[in-house]
Amino acid sequence: MSNSWGTTRYPHDLLEELFDGVVISGLEGMRKPAPAIYALGAERIGRPPEACVFVDDLPFNLDPPRELGMAVVHHTAPQETVAQLEDLLGVALAGS
């Protein structure tokens, strides 16, 4: 999910290959922190919000997904984010 200032800067074919679901605000006509964009992200990956984890570096982007039932991680440093994700998911992540 990206708050985008444009739609042509992304290699769309590569994004589709790398990610289960893609939400680019410039294509959707809405931006974070609008609650509907988080719901759309969950829909695009075929999961209910309660089965999702949302990571963002801006704290104000975390309240809407939390209210939808998503687990949230405030990214401040890679090592801390990975540790929090490992705890939430119950798995060791590569390179941790």
Side-chain angles (χ1 to χ4, degrees):
M1 179 177 308
S2 174
N3 273 352
S4 172
W5 291 105
T7 61
T8 59
R9 62 180 57 187
Y10 298 101
H12 294 277
D13 55 334
L14 184 58
L15 291 177
E16 298 294 330
E17 179 183 328
L18 294 174
F19 298 99
D20 293 332
V22 177
V23 177
I24 306 294
S25 64
L27 297 173
E28 306 301 339
M30 58 183 149
R31 301 172 48 92
K32 296 179 288 184
I37 200 163
Y38 304 96
L40 180 59
E43 180 183 312
R44 291 269 169 91
I45 62 169
R47 298 285 186 255
E50 300 82 13
C52 297
V53 178
F54 183 78
V55 180
D56 203 288
D57 61 333
L58 299 174
F60 60 83
N61 283 334
L62 299 176
D63 287 338
R66 185 182 291 117
E67 291 169 8
L68 287 172
M70 293 182 184
V72 299
V73 173
H74 179 205
H75 172 69
T76 57
Q79 301 85 346
E80 182 60 27
T81 297
V82 168
Q84 289 182 51
L85 288 170
E86 288 178 333
D87 287 344
L88 283 168
L89 301 173
V91 297
L93 298 173
S96 61

